[in-house]
Amino acid sequence: MKTIENLKWRYAVKKFNTEKVSTADLNEILEATNLSASSTGIQPYRVFVVENTSLRQKLGEGSFNAQIAESSHLLVFAAFDKLTQEHIDAFIAHLARERNLPEEALADYKAALVGGLLSRADEENFNWSARQAYIALGTALVAAAELKIDSTPMEGFDSEKFDSLLGLKEKGLKSVVTLALGYRDAVNDAYAAVKKVRLPIEEFATFVV
Ligand SMILES: Cc1cc2nc3c(=O)[nH]c(=O)nc-3n(C[C@H](O)[C@H](O)[C@H](O)COP(=O)(O)O)c2cc1C
């Protein structure tokens, strides 16, 4: 499977070169990311693409991750800080439109979402939304590898600062994880040559009989 070769090729890059990711490749990564599964399908997070170098320098100040500023593009995954009736209404209306259904046909599903999601504390829904965003992070990382584009998933950033510089609070979003995209500087990145270490598959996965 080509995906396995590509996953062996990828690693969390520490040092990028100055080559830029093309718009066509970036759009493919975003399209793949948007195709990620999410619980109930509601996609309770958004992705922000930051290319502007001076903005990325500001975002990266004080972080140990030079990749925030030095990569080609930075994807910021931001989850909704709470889920509301409006989110559910918009989701159901979109589903009905796309599947050419009357909204009434989705009434039971909508009631289940309202009952399930709106009965929970905002913080629980935020944490749930963040977990959905991490699934998308994984998709983006695999999609990038398929295009032989390097990446670094990163939690090492100041989310308060990201939220304020990117105007996320106003949108009801909080940054949860980021993905730097670009091309490795194989000469200056010591990690480019080190062996990838993973558990033996027998320890990682158990066949239950
Ligand atoms: C959610 C998440 C957060 C991470 N945060 C960082 C980070 O802030 N900085 C960094 O250099 N690498 C970060 N990494 C990369 C991991 O350290 C790396 O994936 C792991 O050591 C395995 O190595 P590999 O991806 O190169 O195979 C993160 C990875 C994940 C999945």
Side-chain angles (χ1 to χ4, degrees):
M1 178 163 73
K2 196 92 176 99
T3 305
I4 291 181
E5 274 171 48
N6 291 331
L7 289 174
K8 285 181 175 168
W9 169 85
R10 70 147 294 281
Y11 72 102
V13 170
K14 308 295 174 206
K15 180 102 189 98
F16 286 94
N17 68 24
T18 55
E19 198 181 334
K20 298 295 287 184
V21 173
S22 72
T23 306
D25 283 347
L26 192 61
N27 285 338
E28 268 205 299
I29 292 169
L30 292 173
E31 187 178 350
T33 307
N34 188 36
L35 287 167
S36 298
S38 68
S39 181
T40 78
I42 199 168
Q43 297 184 273
Y45 61 89
R46 296 292 180 266
V47 179
F48 293 80
V49 183
V50 192
E51 183 175 9
N52 182 289
T53 309
S54 62
L55 176 55
R56 284 190 293 119
Q57 268 160 0
K58 280 192 208 125
L59 291 169
E61 267 165 29
S63 165
F64 59 90
N65 283 310
Q67 306 95 312
I68 294 171
E70 291 177 355
S71 53
S72 166
H73 294 76
L74 184 70
L75 303 189
V76 179
F77 295 79
F80 285 113
D81 58 4
K82 61 167 94 61
L83 292 176
T84 62
Q85 182 72 48
E86 288 71 45
H87 287 120
I88 295 171
D89 290 347
F91 170 54
I92 292 294
H94 185 216
L95 209 52
R97 264 194 322 275
E98 290 290 312
R99 293 192 174 152
N100 211 14
L101 291 169
E103 277 197 40
E104 303 76 68
L106 298 169
D108 288 351
Y109 188 41
K110 185 171 182 173
L113 288 179
V114 169
L117 296 176
L118 300 188
S119 62
R120 303 196 303 205
D122 289 343
E123 194 185 351
E124 191 181 343
N125 277 332
F126 166 67
N127 289 331
W128 177 80
S129 299
R131 290 199 293 275
Q132 313 312 312
Y134 274 77
I135 294 170
L137 170 78
T139 308
L141 191 146
V142 176
E146 300 269 353
L147 292 169
K148 285 289 194 297
I149 290 170
D150 281 299
S151 67
T152 321
M154 292 178 292
E155 287 177 319
F157 65 93
D158 179 343
S159 62
E160 284 284 328
K161 179 161 73 174
F162 270 52
D163 296 351
S164 101
L165 287 177
L166 299 175
L168 301 185
K169 279 178 198 173
E170 299 84 306
K171 296 184 169 79
L173 289 160
K174 278 197 220 177
S175 52
V176 291
V177 72
T178 63
L179 186 70
L181 295 172
Y183 294 93
R184 66 186 70 176
D185 177 348
V187 177
N188 295 304
D189 188 348
Y191 285 81
V194 300
K195 184 175 191 286
K196 186 175 283 295
V197 178
R198 291 295 189 271
L199 292 170
I201 200 76
E202 307 72 28
E203 188 179 340
F204 177 69
T206 302
F207 288 86
V208 180
V209 288

